[in-house]
Amino acid sequence: MKLLRFGEPGQEKPGLLDGETLRDLSGVIRDVNPQTLSDAALENLRQLDFSTLPEVTGNPRIGACVARVGKFICIGLNYKDHADETGAAYPKEPIIFMKATSAIQGPNDTILIPRNSKKTDWEVELGVVIGRAGKYISVENALSHVAGYCTINDVSEREFQMERGGTWDKGKGCDTFGPIGPYLVTRDEVPDPQNLSLWLEVDGHRYQNGTTANMIFTVAELVSCVSQFMSLQPGDIISTGTPAGVGLGQKPEPVYLQAGQTIRLAVEGLGEQLQRVAQDA
């Protein structure tokens, strides 16, 4: 299934993509949130006759595909080619950092370059949405804790991240820096998360063109590893790293986002995002 949320910010309704038709799920569930991500809850939705659900007409705004995200967990330097382009050694174990949940927005909402930013960058990533709570999860059981997957743009301000002292979080959690969606694709429709292409373009120029096969740590290994340090709860999101082609890695000089540009990105089977870039006030 492809679950999504549509409507104006703060007023989103749950929906389901039935082929090319958007269906309204608000008569069945309150929202796509931690309470509706368990295997049992998702199976109940699968048993519905989708054709009986109201059709959503027009072109509504698409919101973040999950509401009430508890933790937005990110993984750094998890693609061999991205580590290579930054000159970093491959991590011995996953690099874990947090992105503020206030950064979350819809997949097509405007990205705002923060005040005083000089180095706002892009990162297409595979997102993992947790559906079942757990801690100290084994690699073998890790994917059973996953509700589904989504496309994420891990927007990053490199000066804030690397040159302002402290951890990476300063450059990762700015408002609008976490577009997720357009939809959550349940894990039964993604039999191998290590075999997905992903790409990103700025103003029609393709900068990133990678595959999750190039991850240093697999999705199962990441879920297991994160759960050794914190419990995972339904609705938590793990953003699993980005392939080569970020602005920071461009040669001979880095390239960063400018107001007025347009970003398109997608993960295979998980939907496309389209964002305009603007300067924050």
Side-chain angles (χ1 to χ4, degrees):
M1 289 184 298
K2 293 180 173 67
L3 303 176
L4 66 155
R5 302 171 64 248
F6 63 95
E8 294 306 304
Q11 301 176 26
E12 294 93 343
K13 294 181 178 181
L16 179 149
L17 199 61
D18 177 17
E20 297 298 317
T21 302
L22 176 57
R23 304 282 184 182
D24 188 343
L25 274 175
S26 60
V28 181
I29 58 174
R30 182 169 296 177
D31 208 342
V32 181
N33 62 27
Q35 281 67 50
T36 55
L37 296 175
S38 69
D39 285 351
L42 294 175
E43 185 56 34
N44 286 339
L45 293 180
R46 284 191 194 93
Q47 299 306 313
L48 295 172
D49 179 352
F50 297 164
S51 67
T52 66
L53 298 170
E55 180 177 347
V56 179
T57 58
N59 187 31
R61 170 189 172 269
I62 303 300
C65 59
V66 181
R68 291 169 43 208
V69 173
K71 294 191 288 295
F72 198 166
I73 305 156
C74 296
I75 308 298
L77 297 173
N78 193 38
Y79 281 71
K80 296 173 184 176
D81 55 356
H82 176 51
D84 291 342
E85 75 175 345
T86 62
Y90 297 171
K92 295 283 194 286
E93 65 176 77
I95 296 170
I96 299 170
F97 62 94
M98 309 296 283
K99 199 173 182 84
T101 55
S102 54
I104 292 173
Q105 65 170 12
N108 305 319
D109 292 344
T110 299
I111 288 174
L112 296 177
I113 296 175
R115 186 180 299 178
N116 301 318
S117 166
K118 301 173 184 175
K119 300 179 180 180
T120 296
D121 203 348
W122 57 81
E123 295 189 12
V124 60
E125 306 202 2
L126 168 66
V128 178
V129 181
I130 300 300
R132 179 161 67 95
K135 58 182 179 178
Y136 309 123
I137 299 166
S138 69
V139 173
E140 294 73 22
N141 292 329
L143 295 186
S144 70
H145 289 261
V146 174
Y149 302 91
C150 64
T151 301
I152 292 178
N153 188 356
D154 176 21
V155 187
S156 308
E157 211 298 343
R158 303 302 188 188
E159 183 188 25
F160 296 178
Q161 176 187 356
M162 300 175 177
E163 302 173 34
R164 299 285 293 271
T167 66
W168 289 4
D169 300 59
K170 287 179 181 177
K172 293 287 189 173
C174 304
D175 289 357
T176 77
F177 273 24
I180 63 172
Y183 30 75
L184 182 159
V185 180
T186 52
R187 75 169 187 270
D188 57 299
E189 295 193 12
V190 186
D192 184 3
Q194 303 311 138
N195 187 32
L196 302 173
S197 62
L198 61 171
W199 56 267
L200 181 144
E201 298 175 351
V202 180
D203 287 346
H205 178 83
R206 184 158 296 195
Y207 284 96
Q208 293 187 276
N209 202 16
T211 170
T212 58
N214 199 31
M215 283 185 181
I216 297 170
F217 303 101
T218 67
V219 169
E221 290 169 334
L222 293 175
V223 171
S224 175
C225 177
V226 171
S227 77
Q228 310 305 309
F229 302 103
M230 63 193 82
S231 65
L232 290 173
Q233 305 295 330
D236 288 349
I237 292 176
I238 302 175
S239 199
T240 58
T242 197
V246 299
L248 174 66
Q250 298 304 305
K251 302 293 189 292
E253 297 290 336
V255 176
Y256 296 113
L257 291 168
Q258 305 293 325
Q261 292 185 311
T262 299
I263 307 172
R264 289 179 64 234
L265 62 145
V267 179
E268 181 181 356
L270 306 185
E272 183 177 309
Q273 300 186 355
L274 178 65
Q275 296 130 8
R276 185 177 66 88
V277 180
Q279 180 65 52
D280 201 359

